[in-house]
Amino acid sequence: MPIDWAQLGKDTDRKILERGVSSEWVANKAGVDRKTVDRLRKGMVVRPVSLKSIADVLSLRISDQFEGNRASRATPVDAFAPIHLGGYGKAHFEPYIGHYYLFRNSYDYDDRVICSAFEIFWDDSASHLKWRDKQVNKRDDGKTFSYEFEGSVSIPPGTSVTQFIGDTGKGFTRLITATALRGGPPPHFKGILLGINEDSRFGYYPVTSPVYVERCKGQPDMRELARCVGSHPKDRVWHEGARDELRLISKSYGSFSKRAFDPS
């Protein structure tokens, strides 16, 4: 049977009032954010790992509902990510799902910004959020290269952090550590990218860049993608706001090199 979140909220609120403590006190003891405790008190969905931590602090019985919920995946409320990815629920993080544009600095040219088509979606078979990033880059000689990355979304409990983790299996790896989705408008993430890219001389090399990810108004069509996705001169990038955001992130976290080291 699904978890009765409304009843859990009432039980949690009653336990807190009986003990004469605050949401903040419970949050500190449970190792979660105060807002998580407040959400549970209101009968709203929280991650199973957070629910268990709060229940342990308050001696709240949840075993029957929790085990019944894990055995049933009939509704979106019942869909939870694996614990190693944060144990987050689909219902709570459904606002993350959608199409975005991802902006980063070029790894090879200091005067260019790369824009790619970025998507976050829920994978029912894996039971967690996943991401997909598609890029089309054109060199000065006119040759075009297409790239596609895909990976898992990790949302550590008790933090405001979103991690996009990917490995192509061909030597390319990528980790983006970003904020939680911010409301904007438009909704967006800000973060830092660390990747491993291919080098024809000796294999692979690490790269870093600030990252700004902004939600599209809808699913972009092919004409819009052709105009927006690719390598753009910094002084003529189609989204000046994104260029400015990259500068602000760089200013906040220090300089970013196009490569993490110089192979020469």
Side-chain angles (χ1 to χ4, degrees), residues 114-243:
I114 305 299
C115 175
S116 57
F118 194 81
E119 181 185 4
I120 300 175
F121 58 97
W122 183 270
D123 186 325
D124 287 323
S125 61
S127 190
H128 62 78
L129 289 171
K130 298 188 78 172
W131 60 272
R132 183 181 296 119
D133 185 15
K134 295 183 178 181
Q135 304 174 19
V136 179
N137 297 335
K138 183 180 289 186
R139 289 196 326 202
D140 292 341
D141 60 8
K143 189 173 182 179
T144 299
F145 295 88
S146 297
Y147 304 91
E148 182 170 333
F149 300 89
E150 186 173 308
S152 301
V153 178
S154 171
I155 306 175
T159 70
S160 297
V161 173
T162 309
Q163 296 176 330
F164 302 95
I165 307 166
D167 186 346
T168 64
K170 300 177 181 179
F172 295 93
T173 60
R174 173 174 289 191
L175 168 65
I176 299 174
T177 298
T179 61
L181 181 65
R182 296 179 174 177
H188 62 274
F189 300 92
K190 297 180 183 181
I192 301 169
L193 179 152
L194 173 64
I196 302 294
N197 263 29
E198 187 175 17
D199 187 285
S200 59
R201 291 168 291 175
F202 58 88
Y204 301 92
Y205 63 93
V207 291
T208 59
S209 174
V211 170
Y212 177 71
V213 186
E214 183 176 293
R215 186 193 288 277
C216 305
K217 292 182 179 179
Q219 182 172 357
D221 58 27
M222 295 303 295
R223 179 178 297 181
E224 180 180 341
L225 289 172
R227 178 178 67 87
C228 298
V229 172
S231 176
H232 304 274
K234 281 187 177 179
D235 59 351
R236 297 197 305 275
V237 65
W238 64 271
H239 191 334
E240 293 183 0
R243 177 197 62 196

Side-chain angles (χ1 to χ4, degrees), residues 19 47-48 61 65 70 88 182 197 205 229 245 248:
R19 292 197 175 197
R47 306 177 200 182
R61 286 184 57 85
Q65 289 197 58
R70 290 177 65 87
Y88 53 85
R182 296 179 174 177
N197 263 29
Y205 63 93
V229 172
E245 290 290 352
L248 289 173

